Amino acid sequence: MGNYFSGIFGRSPFAPLQQHMSKVVACVSELEALFEAVIEDDALGVEEAQQRVSMLENEADDLKIALRLQMPKGLFMPVSRGDLLNVLTMQDRIANQAKDIAGIVLGRQIRLPTVLSQTFLSYLKRNVDACVQAHATVNELDELVETGFRGAEVRLVEKMLTELNTIESDTDAMEIQLRADLLRIERDLPPVDVMFLYKIIDETGELADLAQRVGGRIQLMLAR
Amino acid sequence: MEYATVYLILVALFGLFMAWGVGANDVANAMGTSVGSGVLTVRQAVIVAAIFEFAGAYLAGGAVTETIRKGIVDTGFLTNSPELLVFGMLASLLAAAIWLFIASHFGWPVSTTHSIVGAIVGFAAVGIGIEAVKWGKVGSIAMSWVVSPLLAGLIAYALFRSVQRLVLDTEKPFDNAKRYVPIYMFFAGFIMTLVTLLKGLKHIGLHLTTGQSYLIAVGVGIVVAVIGALIIRRMQIDPEADRNFHYANVERVFGVLMIVTACSMAFAHGSNDVANAIGPVAAVVSVIDHGGVVGQKSQLSSWILLLGAGGIVFGLLTYGHRVMATIGKKITELTPSRGFACELAAATTVVLASGTGLPISTTHTLVGAVLGVGFARGIAALNLRMIRTIFMSWIVTLPAGAFFAILFFFIFTSIFT
């Protein structure tokens, strides 16, 4: 026997969105292991880390598809379906970005010049921080639903978003520094390698940008 | 009147069948929100529902029963052929019961109230004549079907917004929940008692003035609030519960409130939906009691209300608990802070309708309340398509109930005459 009354309640998209983001963060965090292996000249370690990144990216993809399928049109939610799907897309692009970076590092057998290695690691760390902060903000979504996107909880999330912006600015500053450091030594390095180092720096910086855009979508949800 | 005993036995059986159906299906919708939010177990929900459905049906079910009994059919057309009313009411009961049986078997969203009203209008319009239907009254019933979900939605929206403002959106939601939840409890106890008393409890020998009714209602409200406050006061913040979800402790406080509103919901449901089963019974009994004279003014017999109330509880105990368990498993997104707003809004609307004698659909009213909370951005996801289907279904239910009623009406007429 069917029960029509319970049929009016759709499945909440917020918990799956949070699961997806935690998968994305796990994926991005593997980049740290990857670059540590690069610095230690551990070719096997690089390959293993790249495989983990790729696997986690695939898992995130599966979660993304499952969530999209459970959000048909005609769902009435406290946030617009478009905003929600946008957050999902942005989150997914973070994982894609991590996979791209890992792919280049493995494929091009990238080596970090010793003078850059520590700066780069902290730069990467800060970019991962941005993703972690975006994840923390996404984790507040069920609390936001609970409060109906109003009051003290909104102020809390706004504070977290400000923090996310601060982290992103940090990465920008670090990126400039890193480029300057590379510029100083680039003459002594093979030109194609330098090209790819710039590309790696650039692509890594994208992580924080994307994390910030996840935050931006959540800001839009608060604004409605 | 010939065959009077046969009619009496038949109508009592059909009435009981219908009441059983109400208990087996509708009650689960009314109580499912409490089970789903984890406030009550199925067993507890059955006990609460049994007590308060019975109380609501017996104490406050009279006015709607009167409407079903004599508000829809103009008995002036039947003075010479009282048995037509008997056949019609028998046919309506059987029609609505069978239609509901079919519909719930296939999981179609069908309202008991709409079925029985459709059936009675159907037999009266076709079996007696278009002019035998009190179209004015039928119009106001139809209007109430539009107004009741809207009203419940508005109340639910207002209730939930007040919860946001007073509790959820503040810096100390747990403390504020403890402070304000008893006030909502007072409101629930007050409004349920007041409407019941104002409408009169003459059939149990209680005669009260309006002033006395208000006083008693305030008293009941205070008693409910004080008991609730005592339970809540002992509650402490459990840090473990808040680890993943910061409002888990606040929801525990609202859980206590939701026990009160679940009682209100069961009471309100009983007061309105019992009439669907026993309104026709009362009509037949009245004709037989007066030796075939239609339209006599008579006090509704207590045994008929008891029959309906007992039938509902019987349906609940034999089958309703299973439906409740299924619904409860599906409604898990509705936390107590929302569930209570939905239940209190729906219960208030339904009991007001009961007091006015308007047969409305409890499920539709509850759906309206859920939407109201949704509009306050309180529910993660609502399935608008399903909501549209539920509201559209009464357009199908009315002619379906009417069709079966007309069919059975002619069958009964040919058997007994």
Side-chain angles (χ1 to χ4, degrees):
Chain A
M1 188 164 85
N3 264 292
Y4 61 91
F5 178 67
S6 49
I8 68 172
F9 294 95
R11 274 168 61 200
S12 165
F14 297 104
L17 190 72
Q18 292 168 343
Q19 278 162 19
H20 178 264
M21 189 57 184
S22 84
K23 191 64 83 183
V24 168
V25 167
C27 176
V28 171
S29 303
E30 284 298 331
L31 287 181
E32 293 184 58
L34 181 104
F35 278 99
E36 271 157 19
V38 166
I39 290 164
E40 284 163 17
D41 254 344
D42 174 8
L44 191 68
V46 171
E47 197 177 334
E48 279 172 2
Q50 188 275 336
Q51 274 165 6
R52 284 196 299 275
V53 169
S54 172
M55 193 185 70
L56 287 164
E57 195 272 344
N58 278 334
E59 288 173 15
D61 259 355
D62 293 343
L63 290 176
K64 175 188 72 178
I65 292 164
L67 178 52
R68 278 186 181 160
L69 288 178
Q70 82 162 66
M71 282 191 5
K73 281 187 184 167
L75 271 191
F76 180 55
M77 296 182 289
V79 298
S80 88
R81 180 169 170 270
D83 283 348
L84 212 60
L85 288 172
N86 261 326
V87 169
L88 181 64
T89 307
M90 287 304 149
Q91 290 182 170
D92 205 58
R93 279 177 60 185
I94 296 177
N96 289 344
Q97 188 73 16
K99 191 184 176 185
D100 283 355
I101 295 169
I104 297 171
V105 170
L106 181 74
R108 292 284 318 167
Q109 297 176 352
I110 296 282
R111 306 183 111 149
L112 278 177
T114 326
V115 282
L116 292 186
S117 59
Q118 282 319 308
T119 335
F120 183 83
L121 271 188
S122 46
Y123 170 62
L124 173 67
K125 181 89 182 56
R126 205 61 184 143
N127 274 286
V128 175
D129 283 350
C131 300
V132 170
Q133 181 68 11
H135 182 210
T137 321
V138 170
N139 269 345
E140 290 299 316
L141 274 174
D142 44 355
E143 276 83 4
L144 279 171
V145 174
E146 170 75 15
T147 59
F149 291 82
R150 284 188 176 91
E153 180 63 25
V154 170
R155 290 193 287 280
L156 176 75
V157 173
E158 275 168 350
K159 214 183 286 172
M160 294 170 81
L161 289 174
T162 314
E163 173 66 15
L164 176 57
N165 289 339
T166 313
I167 299 174
E168 200 275 336
S169 309
D170 285 357
T171 63
D172 282 348
M174 293 164 101
E175 184 171 356
I176 293 167
Q177 181 62 46
L178 207 51
R179 283 169 172 279
D181 291 350
L182 182 55
L183 181 68
R184 239 173 286 133
I185 57 168
E186 69 180 18
R187 280 172 214 289
D188 311 327
L189 298 168
V192 178
D193 282 6
V194 172
M195 231 184 72
F196 275 96
L197 278 177
Y198 277 120
K199 190 170 169 63
I200 292 285
I201 294 170
D202 195 42
E203 299 236 324
T204 305
E206 266 298 294
L207 293 173
D209 286 343
L210 288 169
Q212 194 186 27
R213 286 168 79 174
V214 169
R217 303 293 162 176
I218 289 176
Q219 189 114 54
L220 279 181
M221 293 178 178
L222 301 181
R224 203 183 74 170
Chain B
M1 190 186 241
E2 229 185 333
Y3 304 119
T5 327
V6 180
Y7 298 150
L8 206 59
I9 292 170
L10 274 182
V11 84
L13 275 178
F14 293 170
L16 202 60
F17 181 42
M18 186 73 179
W20 178 86
V22 170
N25 275 307
D26 288 13
V27 178
N29 290 343
M31 301 299 290
T33 41
S34 294
V35 179
S37 59
V39 170
L40 296 176
T41 64
V42 172
R43 177 185 287 269
Q44 289 164 336
V46 167
I47 294 169
V48 165
I51 295 170
F52 285 90
E53 288 276 342
F54 190 91
Y58 184 62
L59 297 177
V64 187
T65 309
E66 292 296 276
T67 303
I68 300 276
R69 175 167 85 101
K70 55 189 185 189
I72 299 172
V73 184
D74 188 345
T75 44
F77 289 87
L78 292 163
T79 27
N80 297 323
S81 46
E83 66 283 351
L84 284 187
L85 185 68
V86 175
F87 299 149
M89 287 298 179
L90 280 172
S92 301
L93 262 183
L94 196 59
I98 285 178
W99 169 238
L100 283 176
F101 204 75
I102 297 171
S104 48
H105 178 76
F106 289 106
W108 297 336
V110 163
S111 145
T112 324
T113 309
H114 295 172
S115 305
I116 195 78
V117 172
I120 294 175
V121 170
F123 101 78
V126 175
I128 306 170
I130 295 285
E131 65 283 357
V133 179
K134 289 184 182 169
W135 291 108
K137 185 75 182 173
V138 172
S140 60
I141 292 173
M143 270 307 292
S144 75
W145 293 344
V146 179
V147 172
S148 55
L150 285 177
L151 181 63
L154 271 175
I155 299 175
Y157 180 85
L159 276 173
F160 185 63
R161 290 291 285 117
S162 75
V163 169
Q164 286 180 325
R165 172 152 293 200
L166 298 173
V167 180
L168 296 175
D169 298 351
T170 58
E171 305 288 341
K172 287 184 170 172
F174 185 73
D175 295 342
N176 283 328
K178 283 173 119 176
R179 182 176 311 148
Y180 289 112
V181 157
I183 296 176
Y184 293 110
M185 289 177 173
F186 170 83
F187 179 72
F190 173 76
I191 198 84
M192 294 297 131
T193 317
L194 184 68
V195 176
T196 309
L197 294 180
L198 282 184
K199 216 185 35 52
L201 290 176
K202 291 183 208 71
H203 65 285
I204 57 165
L206 207 61
H207 299 268
L208 297 166
T209 65
T210 310
Q212 285 170 323
S213 300
Y214 271 95
L215 269 179
I216 295 175
V218 169
V220 171
I222 289 175
V223 168
V224 173
V226 166
I227 295 174
L230 287 177
I231 296 171
I232 291 169
R233 201 165 62 175
R234 291 195 315 206
M235 295 175 87
Q236 297 296 329
I237 287 195
D238 172 12
E240 192 56 33
D242 271 356
R243 180 165 295 174
N244 288 321
F245 181 61
H246 308 329
Y247 289 86
N249 279 307
V250 178
E251 289 296 348
R252 277 169 55 225
V253 180
F254 279 103
V256 182
L257 172 56
M258 212 177 165
I259 297 174
V260 176
T261 55
C263 299
S264 310
M265 192 70 225
F267 185 89
H269 181 262
S271 73
N272 206 287
D273 282 37
V274 74
N276 298 332
I278 62 165
V281 180
V284 172
V285 169
S286 158
V287 172
I288 292 169
D289 278 356
H290 295 90
V293 183
V294 199
Q296 283 293 311
K297 203 169 163 54
S298 63
Q299 186 62 44
L300 182 62
S301 321
S302 289
W303 74 264
I304 302 175
L305 278 169
L306 278 174
L307 176 86
I312 290 180
V313 173
F314 182 59
L316 179 69
L317 294 179
T318 50
Y319 199 82
H321 61 100
R322 259 183 283 171
V323 185
M324 222 184 267
T326 329
I327 292 185
K329 260 181 225 130
K330 289 184 186 163
I331 314 179
T332 48
E333 309 281 2
L334 203 70
T335 53
S337 60
R338 286 75 180 138
F340 108 84
C342 297
E343 284 185 346
L344 188 51
T348 305
T349 309
V350 171
V351 88
L352 281 175
S354 299
T356 328
L358 287 168
I360 62 171
S361 161
T362 317
T363 307
H364 285 194
T365 312
L366 200 53
V367 171
V370 171
L371 261 179
V373 176
F375 272 111
R377 298 181 86 180
I379 297 175
L382 287 175
N383 197 342
L384 281 188
R385 255 179 232 170
M386 192 66 207
I387 291 171
R388 204 176 312 141
T389 313
I390 290 177
F391 283 127
M392 291 307 279
S393 74
W394 64 275
I395 294 176
V396 187
T397 306
L398 290 175
F403 169 78
F404 282 111
I406 294 162
L407 188 72
F408 291 129
F409 178 74
F410 286 119
I411 292 174
F412 284 128
T413 317
S414 58
I415 290 175
F416 289 107
T417 49

